[in-house]
Structure formats: structure tokens, C-alpha cells
Amino acid sequence: MKVLLLDFYQFLKSKVLVLFLFFSFSVFAQSSFKLPASKKSDKIRFEIANNLIILPVILNGVELSFILDTGVGSTIIFSVDNKESLELKNASRIYLRGLGDGEPVEAIKSLSNELRIGDAVSANHTVYLVFDESINFSPRMGFPVHGIIGYDFFKDFILGINYSRRTIKINDPSQYTYKKCDKCYQTQLDFSEHNKRPLVTARYRSKSKLADIRLLLDSGSGSSLWLFESEKKGITIPDKSFADFLGKGFNGDIYGQRTKIEELYIGDFLLKEVTTAFPDSIYIQGISLDKREGSLGGSVLRRFNLIVDYPNQKISFKKNGFFDKPFHYNMSGLTIQHVGFNAIITEKSNKLKGNTTTEKNRVYLGLNGVVNEKTLQLSNNFILRPKYEISDVRPNSPADLAGLKKDDVILEVNGKKAYQYKLSQLNDLFYFEEGKRIRIKIKRLGVETRFTFVLKKVI
């Protein structure tokens, strides 16, 4: 994608800044969203992927998809590859540091942009464009995700997030009235940490006691729960745990221990056998561990319909149809990502059916956008098919013991061509059924090989 940076002379002259993020960004200018004067609310639909809310947004007239993330303070763009052009105004260069063990990443800070979410408009919006290609959620999601928005949006409205119907109702705080809800749990949001990232209090049953814990409300994490070890709170890693890849931060991959805890209480709502990650200490060195004990992620939040009220600093939980679903984890040890698509030359035809593919003419095209469809005819001569590869293999996992390796290209799974799956469908194969046999065909260094393994519980 072509990115047009206005005031580029200012960009070249700007002083380099280093911002310490730790799931948030320092905000230098407050921009506000507003609904039209004639409206007191608006309702928009969203998608759910990996337990994350994906919102349609319009930035300077260009349609994009953003993750709605309570864990960040500012608006960040990290991928714009599948769009023709995007104009960013009043640009200056900075460096950003976040969670992970890598170096700060280069970024552009851009002022005075117009951002629309439904009927809500921010006419003077600050965005950050991150250049590091490794900070791109699209390969892990299987479809285009261009950025993240958090506090910038939440601070101006009372938002009703209905995970069941996949809708968000945007409410003008000055005209909103709370309805009586006997089956809801309402509690305060604590903004004492940098005033942008909300903390909530939950209760966690450790080996010895039921303890109150302060958790970052983190809708931008697909995990259930992250906890930081604490002798004072009695937070320790259970005996049954395993080392695993936990996710990607702004400065690299994050590793730690994965386990389950027996009980987590949100008000009187009891969640049992909750999958929990304990990140290794090297990845959380910048977090004030005396202020919070972990993060509450999307796998827990999606079990509720929420009213998130930043202006009055409170949140309401009402359990929905997902509440009683068991918590699962990946029993294969594989992390798979989308890495572009194969362009396969076909015989000329006006119809997709009946086309004969010529495998020797297969051409790999890089990730210049993500193909949503299983196949997409580019012309009478080409079909585009998603390409998946293994991005991580957990040591001593069933996949590792079978011989699968990072960068293996996946061709077939259980007798079905890989491109016939959505990425979410591929991942689902590894989560739910212990003892399930997985047959997988891969390509490694040009050689096609078949492997078989059986899903096995570790915890």
C-alpha cells in the first residue's frame, strides 16, 4: 500500500522520541469522538476472531479493520498492505517500546486525522503507524487487520458490547440511563495506572486461599487470563503446567508457562478450570507488579455481555450463552499463520468449476493482503489459494515429537486441502478433542512429507 505522509519535511527534522508502552501509549493530544447532534446512540456490528473484537473503521476515507483493545491508550496502525493508499497528516518519527524482549520499533506519529466508527467521528485524531512488518496480526488471524484502538474510543462513550449478537451500541453518556439488571454484576474501573488502562478486581483461588487480584481489562488479548507470580498474593504456577508460546508483543514473541486454575470469580460469577498463562519474568520487566497481578482477556470477556463506561469509571457484566463453555488450549503444539497465497495457473475458462490446475506453474505471491475466500479467481488464468505455514512448534508437544518444524508449509490436514480451511477452522482442529488423530501433509525445502500425531492433554 502507498502511504502518503504530509508535512514530510517536519518528519525528517523531528527529534526522535522513545515511548515506553507496556500495553499502552502516552497520549500527547486528546481527540474526541462525537455522535451527530440528532443521535444519542448508534449500533454497529463486529466480527470475533481468536476471541478478539474486530471493528470496521474509516480513516481519512479509507475503510480499515481495527481490534478493539481496552489494553492500549492510543490508535495504532501496523498493516495497510491490502489498500491502495492512505493519507496520514502532520507526520513525525518516534520509537515505541512494548511487551517483549526486542528493540524499540520505528513508527510515525500523525496528527489531525479523521476517524469514523459507525456514526461516531473523531475529526482531529492522532494515530501511530508502526513500520515493523513482524507486528502484523493478519497472518495469525487469517484476514486483514490493520490496527488497534482503545482508550481513544472508549473514553467518549458508554459502550454496550453484546458478544452474543456481535454488536456494539455506542451511547452518548449525557443521554444514557442504566436499566435495572438483577442478574448483572457492576463494579468500578480503576484508572490509577497512567489513567488510560482500566483495572478490575477479581478473586482467584490459590493453593491456600481465595485472594483479590487486580487485573488489566484487556479485550485485545485472545487469552483467558494472564497472572504474574506473587508470593504476597499466593499466586504461584500450579504443578501441572507446560512451557508455551503465549503471544506476540510489540517487541517480539512472548513465552511462559500455560496451565489451568481451579476458580476465578468475577463478582458472584464463578469460572472453573480457566486456562491461564504465566509469562516469564523477562517479558514483564516494565510492568508495575505492585499495582496489578495480571490481565483479563477476551476468552473470559466474551462469556459476558458488557456495559463499559469509561466516563463514569464502571463496568457491568451479564453472563451470556458462552459462559458455561469449557476452556480449551492447543493440544497439538502447533501455531499456524497465513503467509499470503499461491497463484495457480489454470486452463482458460469463464467458470471456476472445471478449471484444471497446473501444479508446476504454481507461483507464490507474498502477503500483500489476505485472501478471505477459500479460492479467488484472479483472471481466466489464475486462482489464488491461501497459504499456511507453521510459525511455532512447542517443544515435546505431539507435533514436535512427530517431527514437524517451524516454516513447514501445510498442504493437507486430515485428507483435506489446507486452502479449503479458514485459519480459524485449522486452529479449531487442535483444541477440543483429546485423542483425535491429526494427519498432516507438509512441504519442507521443496519435499512433500506426511506426519501423524494424536492430540494429548498436558494439563
Side-chain angles (χ1 to χ4, degrees):
M1 171 178 182
K2 185 179 181 182
V3 178
L4 306 177
L5 299 173
L6 303 189
D7 294 340
F8 198 68
Y9 180 67
Q10 175 188 348
F11 163 71
L12 292 174
K13 291 183 65 178
S14 65
K15 180 181 179 181
V16 175
L17 302 175
V18 179
L19 305 182
F20 293 91
L21 307 180
F22 308 116
F23 280 117
S24 187
F25 291 97
S26 296
V27 181
F28 297 103
Q30 296 281 330
S31 55
S32 295
F33 278 92
K34 294 181 179 179
L35 288 169
S38 60
K39 298 193 69 172
K40 63 179 182 180
S41 66
D42 184 34
K43 185 177 289 187
I44 58 174
R45 294 194 60 82
F46 63 83
E47 298 296 327
I48 297 178
N50 298 340
N51 299 315
L52 306 179
I53 294 173
I54 313 298
L55 284 179
V57 307
I58 300 176
L59 177 61
N60 295 335
V62 177
E63 295 183 8
L64 302 173
S65 296
F66 278 13
I67 295 170
L68 185 63
D69 187 352
T70 52
V72 299
S74 294
T75 304
I76 312 113
I77 303 172
F78 45 72
S79 171
V80 285
D81 286 339
N82 70 325
K83 299 295 178 181
E84 292 182 359
S85 64
L86 173 65
E87 178 186 282
L88 295 180
K89 303 175 180 180
N90 302 313
S92 58
R93 185 171 67 174
I94 61 172
Y95 284 90
L96 306 175
R97 184 187 298 278
L99 204 59
D101 61 350
E103 294 298 316
V105 295
E106 186 178 1
I108 293 293
K109 178 184 175 183
S110 172
L111 308 176
S112 304
N113 300 281
E114 182 186 84
L115 185 61
R116 293 177 174 267
I117 300 177
D119 286 336
V121 180
S122 175
N124 184 28
H125 205 84
T126 299
V127 300
Y128 298 86
L129 171 65
V130 178
F131 288 114
D132 190 336
E133 292 184 0
S134 67
I135 305 172
N136 185 351
F137 285 78
S138 295
R140 301 290 174 96
M141 305 288 258
F143 57 86
V145 177
H146 306 102
I148 303 178
I149 190 166
Y151 180 82
D152 283 351
F153 182 51
F154 279 98
K155 68 181 176 61
D156 296 318
F157 301 112
I158 298 174
L159 299 182
I161 302 176
N162 191 315
Y163 279 95
S164 302
R165 297 180 180 177
R166 301 190 179 190
T167 61
I168 292 179
K169 189 172 183 182
I170 305 169
N171 298 288
D172 182 341
S174 66
Q175 302 186 61
Y176 183 79
T177 301
Y178 274 90
K179 297 178 181 178
K180 185 178 180 181
C181 181
D182 294 332
K183 296 183 178 180
C184 295
Y185 167 64
Q186 187 178 97
T187 187
Q188 291 298 119
L189 292 174
D190 179 2
F191 285 91
S192 60
E193 189 180 2
H194 302 303
N195 298 317
K196 295 183 297 296
R197 300 178 299 165
L199 303 181
V200 295
T201 299
R203 288 177 293 160
Y204 149 76
R205 185 172 296 283
S206 65
K207 292 180 179 179
S208 58
K209 61 180 180 179
L210 190 63
D212 288 342
I213 52 175
R214 292 160 298 179
L215 302 173
L216 173 69
L217 189 72
D218 192 5
S219 65
S221 167
S223 299
S224 305
L225 181 67
W226 280 32
L227 289 179
F228 310 141
E229 291 183 86
S230 169
E231 290 185 13
K232 180 180 178 182
K233 287 285 187 178
I235 302 175
T236 58
I237 302 174
D239 295 333
K240 288 186 177 181
S241 66
F242 60 91
D244 199 12
F245 167 76
L246 303 184
K248 182 177 282 292
F250 275 91
N251 295 112
D253 293 342
I254 302 169
Y255 292 87
Q257 296 293 123
R258 198 177 297 279
T259 185
K260 285 189 174 183
I261 62 168
E262 292 183 8
E263 295 180 349
L264 176 71
Y265 288 86
I266 298 177
D268 291 330
F269 295 121
L270 170 60
L271 298 160
K272 294 184 177 181
E273 297 295 314
V274 180
T275 50
T276 303
F278 285 80
D280 292 341
S281 59
I282 187 175
Y283 303 110
I284 56 174
Q285 291 179 357
I287 295 176
S288 300
L289 300 183
D290 60 331
K291 293 185 178 180
R292 66 180 175 103
E293 286 76 44
S295 301
L296 192 66
S299 184
V300 168
L301 295 177
R302 73 169 300 180
R303 294 161 195 270
F304 300 91
N305 293 333
L306 308 172
I307 297 175
V308 185
D309 184 351
Y310 275 33
N312 297 299
Q313 300 187 9
K314 57 187 178 181
I315 184 171
S316 296
F317 294 83
K318 182 179 182 180
K319 69 179 183 179
N320 60 29
F322 296 112
F323 184 83
D324 292 321
K325 301 288 185 184
F327 289 89
H328 295 285
Y329 63 92
N330 187 332
M331 290 182 280
S332 72
L334 291 178
T335 302
I336 297 173
Q337 66 180 3
H338 185 290
V339 290
F341 46 86
N342 291 315
I344 302 174
I345 297 176
T346 68
E347 294 178 0
K348 276 194 174 184
S349 172
N350 290 326
K351 295 182 179 180
L352 190 59
K353 275 189 176 179
N355 278 358
T356 303
T357 62
T358 308
E359 296 296 328
K360 67 181 180 179
N361 289 329
R362 184 187 295 267
V363 180
Y364 170 64
L365 302 181
L367 189 62
N368 294 319
V370 180
V371 182
N372 290 317
E373 296 80 11
K374 294 175 184 174
T375 60
L376 172 66
Q377 191 165 8
L378 189 63
S379 69
N380 285 341
N381 298 83
F382 288 90
I383 296 174
L384 302 183
R385 287 175 173 166
K387 180 179 178 181
Y388 302 116
E389 75 174 20
I390 297 171
S391 60
D392 191 82
V393 183
R394 189 176 74 237
N396 299 315
S397 65
D400 179 44
L401 297 175
L404 289 161
K405 297 183 181 298
K406 182 180 179 180
D407 299 327
D408 286 347
V409 177
I410 298 173
L411 303 178
E412 295 180 7
V413 180
N414 287 352
K416 186 176 178 180
K417 297 291 187 183
Y419 62 75
Q420 294 178 306
Y421 292 94
K422 294 180 180 179
L423 181 58
S424 60
Q425 293 172 328
L426 269 180
N427 285 323
D428 284 348
L429 294 175
F430 307 141
Y431 274 76
F432 302 109
E433 188 179 341
E434 185 182 23
K436 182 180 180 67
R437 186 175 298 275
I438 303 294
R439 293 173 287 111
I440 188 167
K441 180 181 178 182
I442 60 95
K443 180 181 283 188
R444 183 187 300 164
L445 300 176
V447 178
E448 296 183 3
T449 311
R450 296 182 183 273
F451 296 88
T452 300
F453 60 87
V454 175
L455 300 183
K456 182 179 179 181
K457 285 185 178 179
V458 184
I459 53 176

